[in-house]
Amino acid sequence: MKVQTHQTFESGLPKDDTHPYRTGAWQPQTTEYDAWDLDVEGEIPQDLAGTYLRNTENPLLVSPERYHPFDGDGMLHSISFAGGEAQYHNRFVRTDGFNAERQANAPLYAGFTEFDRLQTLNQPSNINLWPNMKDASSTDVVVHRGQALTSFWLCGDLYAFDPVTLEAQGRADFGGQFPKDGVSAHTKIDENTNEMLFFNYGLDAPYMHYGEIDAQGNLGHYRDVLLDGPRMPHDMAFTENFAIVNAPSLFFDPKLLAAGMQLPRFFRDVPTRFGIIPRRSNGAVKWFDAQPTFVLHWINAFEEDDEIVLDGFFQEDPMPKGDPNWTIDQKALGNTLDLHAIKSYPHRWRFNMVTGETKEERLSDRIQEFGMINGRFGGRRNRYSYNALPCKGWFGFEGLVKQDLISGAEEVVQLPAGVFASETVMAPRIGSTAEDDGYLITFTMDLNNNRSQCLILDAQNPTADPLAAVSLPERISSGTHAFWQPAAAH
Amino acid sequence: MASAFTAAMDDLLEMVTQGLRIEHLLHRGLEGFCSDWAEVCAEFFSANAVLLAVAQAEAKASAELRRIFASRQHESLGRYETFVELGQLAQVIRPGDASAIAKMLLITNQCWNHPFLRQVQPGDALYQEMTQLMVQLLAPQSNLIKEET
């Protein structure tokens, strides 16, 4: 392996750190690398071409009092494949907040679970919903028009990179029309039209906007979406002709909000509402009520006769009480991160556009989240999803599940104890037509061997031994989202 | 005397306004919050013990002192009630009659003006008993009287 150090940063974390999300699989890195001729166990397929991008939460400084992994600085990783070779790069996302804290050499922003934000710090932030929070751009990454774009878990900026080298390219500005309320964590790329779809939300009416960036990079469409009040949905979905947003049953308590407090609560008696928005038009939004829940991530959506079919992960208990003996620090982490306690199951919603009826069904009794599909099938009928298998009691992935949405069959890839996966993407094989003809790609955090590898699995036979395990220069931190960009689209 | 007493009561009201914030309770958790609050109360009553004792002695004969006390206590109780109501909404204070819980909390806090408590330090058993009393008074899982809200 040929490795060059791009830059090394000084960590402000305690030397004897014991925080569960700054140690083990979440141990942050301080060095940025460029690496070629990577060491490979097995063989990188010749018909694998493109880039796997992975965003991670990788703090250089502690939060003022209580750290939550979503507070971590963004560190972006990319591994690109062509002709059986691979190159790897990683870079911090040098956000405004990152730069300000480096300059001050001290934390300037309050963390997600630091409720006393206004009293502790008053560093200005672009996060409209939650005061004094750093836009770390550490949550998701997508590629649109040849630029990798990182995003934050609330609504914030999009930071741009060359997807292969990770050379920083500033911020997305949508031709000077970047919305003042920012862009939500999850934008959607329609590979068939090269459009990027997004939404944002805020405390003031209309509370939500929906937007479309056309294939030329311009804000082609931007509209109000009027909700019943402030909501904080995390993700959206789309079909060929519609975008799907939702107003979840977990939202800021209005009475507390009136008193200036932003505290989300799960309202078990308030339906989760779904808005079906015609794409590329100002046509009316059609609303559907469904069972109360909160959905972190959708898998896909498609049109079938009169219905919109939407797959995602239904949370049975979005705000679990947790162990009564937990300290306040344990509670702050456990309530938001344990997908087993939250009871997150694959679920299907059907919205009848003619009758207005909603039908729902559970797709599996296995706890799962972070589902990915073959990107060519985004917004179109898909058969397979590739979902993360969450660890119990904390936020990490111990494997993945290939789910056949027609037969209901599940193939489970369980990693060895002490080895954890990233969000796993499906990379279609060059020239493939079958939906699952391709490769599953993920980064591991291998605590047993203190290393990270990029695993390449056969998507049609994921439980077989990996086709290749490509070594990275250093063990990386765990994180949240990843993206596959086919080479032809660069 | 009246101006000194007014200044002390204004300080007390400010202490209540700044200290009884639900954000702080959420941030620190109930035990941590009560410990912080006990420290603030102990410090205030210790610093103002002589003034409060004199004011108490003169209050019978001074309508002005009684008026100052009554008006500040009324305002203070309003802050306590808001704190309890918001804490109940946030589900970090037990359900029940918010006004009664607020009054009980105010009375409990006035105990810090007792000579026994003016002498204690944070590590002392009596100090810890007082802190735990407040925890028990407010805890969502408390066995004290509950009334569904």
Side-chain angles (χ1 to χ4, degrees), chain B residues 116-127:
Chain B
F116 285 168
L117 283 164
R118 288 203 299 265
Q119 309 299 321
V120 300
Q121 299 296 316
D124 293 348
L126 181 55
Y127 187 102

Side-chain angles (χ1 to χ4, degrees), chain B:
Chain B
M1 181 62 212
S3 63
F5 186 58
T6 300
M9 288 294 97
D10 284 347
D11 285 350
L12 181 60
L13 188 59
E14 179 65 13
M15 181 187 98
V16 169
T17 304
Q18 294 301 321
L20 291 184
R21 286 182 304 104
I22 202 66
E23 296 94 326
H24 192 58
L25 172 53
L26 283 163
H27 184 70
R28 292 278 285 134
L30 191 53
E31 297 253 357
F33 173 84
C34 290
S35 174
D36 292 351
W37 181 242
E39 200 173 325
V40 169
C41 290
E43 192 179 316
F44 174 84
F45 286 110
S46 176
N48 292 281
V50 175
L51 176 69
L52 294 176
V54 173
Q56 195 173 10
E58 290 186 10
K60 267 189 180 173
S62 169
E64 188 180 10
L65 288 182
R66 291 199 301 275
R67 184 188 56 74
I68 293 165
F69 178 76
S71 72
R72 299 306 189 280
Q73 178 164 267
H74 178 75
E75 280 189 68
S76 189
L77 185 58
R79 309 282 200 281
Y80 274 81
E81 284 175 349
T82 301
F83 172 73
V84 172
E85 284 165 5
L86 292 178
Q88 288 176 330
L89 277 173
Q91 300 177 334
V92 288
I93 290 178
R94 71 180 168 89
D97 183 323
S99 178
I101 294 173
K103 286 191 180 104
M104 194 62 213
L105 187 58
L106 184 146
I107 293 164
T108 308
N109 290 336
Q110 286 178 346
C111 291
W112 288 98
N113 194 30
H114 193 282
F116 285 168
L117 283 164
R118 288 203 299 265
Q119 309 299 321
V120 300
Q121 299 296 316
D124 293 348
L126 181 55
Y127 187 102
Q128 288 172 4
E129 289 289 342
M130 275 300 292
T131 305
Q132 280 305 313
L133 179 65
M134 201 161 115
V135 170
Q136 287 303 312
L137 177 62
L138 299 176
Q141 66 273 27
S142 167
N143 291 323
L144 296 175
I145 300 165
K146 284 186 184 176
E147 180 184 297
E148 287 307 317
T149 52

Side-chain angles (χ1 to χ4, degrees), chain A residues 393-411:
Chain A
W394 64 287
F395 185 54
F397 306 143
E398 60 187 30
L400 68 105
V401 180
K402 177 184 179 184
Q403 189 177 33
D404 183 334
L405 295 164
I406 292 178
S407 72
E410 292 182 341
E411 294 176 79

Side-chain angles (χ1 to χ4, degrees), chain A residues 440-452:
Chain A
L440 301 182
I441 301 177
T442 195
F443 285 153
T444 61
M445 283 66 63
D446 180 345
L447 305 191
N448 304 328
N449 298 293
N450 189 27
R451 67 181 177 185
S452 278

Side-chain angles (χ1 to χ4, degrees), chain A residues 114 184 207 232 342 395 467:
Chain A
E114 293 182 313
S184 70
Y207 308 110
M232 45 186 304
I342 287 167
F395 185 54
L467 299 168

Side-chain angles (χ1 to χ4, degrees), chain A residues 86-157:
Chain A
Q87 60 173 296
Y88 165 86
H89 308 268
N90 69 313
R91 294 289 186 274
F92 276 103
V93 184
R94 288 160 171 79
T95 62
D96 290 350
F98 178 89
N99 290 331
E101 288 188 329
R102 295 312 299 166
Q103 197 167 1
N105 197 26
L108 299 177
Y109 301 87
F112 171 32
T113 52
E114 293 182 313
F115 292 101
D116 220 2
R117 297 180 186 90
L118 290 171
Q119 296 299 315
T120 51
L121 293 166
N122 55 13
Q123 180 76 6
S125 158
N126 62 325
I127 302 300
N128 65 345
L129 202 68
W130 228 306
N132 306 351
M133 193 179 278
K134 177 171 60 179
D135 177 352
S137 210
S138 54
T139 302
D140 198 8
V141 56
V142 297
V143 177
H144 186 230
R145 301 180 65 250
Q147 280 190 317
L149 300 169
T150 58
S151 54
F152 186 52
W153 70 275
L154 291 167
C155 295
D157 287 325

